Every structure is written in C-alpha cells, then in structure tokens.
C-alpha cells in the first residue's frame, strides 16, 4: 500500500475527532482554536496589549457586520445551550475560554504585568469581549464592541505604575 495523502490523513483525523467528541464538540474545538489564533495575532500585532484588544474587537465587528450580524461566537452559543449540563460540549467550551484567557494572560505577562493582575485582567477581557459580541449581534451594530475595547484599553493602561 502506498503512503497516505495529506487529504487521507485529514479525513482520518476528522473521523477520529468526530468519533470521540461528536460533531458539535469537534466544531467547538476548531472554532475555539481559530479564535485563539485571531486573538494571539491581534494581540501580537501591537506592542500595547490594550491596542491589541482594540484590533481584536475591530476584527470581531467586521466579521459580524459581514455576516449580517448572524455569525457570532459559536463557543458562546454552544455554552449557553449546555448550561447546567456536565457534557463534553460544555467542557470543550470551558477549555476554549481558558485557552483564550491564557492567550491574553501571556500577552500581559510579556508586557510587564504582574501574574495575579494579568490573570484577572485576562478573565475580564474575554468576558467583556464575549458579552460585547453578543450585544453587537442583538443591537445589529458594533458600538458595544468599540466601547468595550476602548474601556478595556483604558483599564489596562491604568496598570502602568503597577507593572513589575
């Protein structure tokens, strides 16, 4: 038998993921990883983490607007549908949120924030962006994301003297 092609390996890996996690769980993991990459890239695009958060919010806004305000965060949507359930889907959502928080924490640590402040700010950033994205969808405009990212940048800037 010949060597498997890249396509064959992708099909095998996808089938394995579907078997272990189901369709929705696999989708959550992939969308969580996609947003983690966007978040990492936007944060790294700016030296100042607050400016990076604003770039991220701008990209979220553009995506929502382009989709007619329908394509919000699939992780948030799935998490809300599985509230109160101890399921693999809920766990995949929790893992995605923790991954995003860690991405923000890492950027803040590289920017000189103390560990405790970095962790708490990261939780606030992800919670605020997720909430603002939902508000932008409901209101069919991006002001919630703009205002939230401006205030997050201001909050991060206020830690200047407390950085190590």
């Amino acid at each position: 038998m010949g060597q498997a092609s890249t396509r064959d390996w992708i099909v095998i890996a996808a089938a394995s993921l579907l078997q272990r996690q189901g369709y929705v769980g696999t989708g959550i993991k992939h969308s969580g990883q996609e947003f983690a990459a966007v978040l990492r890239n936007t944060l790294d695009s700016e030296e100042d983490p607050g400016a990076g958060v604003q770039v991220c919010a701008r990209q979220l806004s553009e995506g929502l607007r382009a989709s007619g305000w329908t394509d919000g965060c699939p992780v948030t949507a799935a998490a809300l549908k599985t509230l109160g359930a101890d399921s693999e889907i809920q766990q995949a959502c929790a893992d995605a949120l923790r991954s995003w928080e860690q991405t923000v924490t890492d950027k803040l640590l590289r920017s000189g924030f103390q560990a405790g402040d970095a962790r708490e700010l990261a939780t606030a950033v992800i919670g605020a962006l997720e909430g603002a994205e939902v508000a932008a969808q409901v209101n069919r405009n991006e002001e919630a994301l703009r205002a939230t990212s401006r205030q997050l940048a201001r909050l991060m800037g206020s830690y200047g003297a407390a950085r190590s």
Side-chain angles (χ1 to χ4, degrees), residues 38-54:
V38 168
L39 184 61
R40 191 170 22 264
N41 290 338
T42 57
L43 289 174
D44 289 346
S45 73
E46 300 287 332
E47 185 175 333
D48 175 55
V53 167
Q54 290 183 296

Side-chain angles (χ1 to χ4, degrees), residues 27-163:
I28 296 303
K29 283 200 175 218
H30 285 301
S31 60
Q33 291 168 353
E34 285 176 24
F35 181 66
V38 168
L39 184 61
R40 191 170 22 264
N41 290 338
T42 57
L43 289 174
D44 289 346
S45 73
E46 300 287 332
E47 185 175 333
D48 175 55
V53 167
Q54 290 183 296
V55 171
C56 183
R58 199 166 32 252
Q59 284 193 5
L60 290 172
S61 296
E62 290 167 3
L64 281 172
R65 190 177 341 102
S67 75
W69 308 100
T70 59
D71 291 347
C73 178
V75 172
T76 299
L80 292 174
K81 289 180 184 175
T82 61
L83 287 176
D86 189 18
S87 68
E88 289 183 33
I89 295 170
Q90 185 277 331
Q91 188 58 52
C93 294
D95 291 345
L97 289 172
R98 274 193 297 276
S99 157
W100 302 343
E101 288 177 6
Q102 189 60 53
T103 298
V104 176
T105 299
D106 292 344
K107 172 64 175 183
L108 294 172
L109 290 172
R110 288 192 307 272
S111 299
F113 283 76
Q114 294 181 14
D117 292 338
R119 282 190 302 275
E120 287 193 359
L121 274 170
T123 298
V125 165
I126 296 305
L129 286 176
E130 287 295 297
E133 187 177 34
V134 170
Q137 278 187 278
V138 169
N139 293 315
R140 300 180 63 77
N141 71 57
E142 56 210 54
E143 184 51 33
L145 277 162
R146 287 181 183 173
T148 298
S149 70
R150 282 192 304 267
Q151 293 305 313
L152 287 170
R154 183 176 291 165
L155 174 63
M156 289 180 194
S158 74
Y159 279 81
R163 292 185 192 179

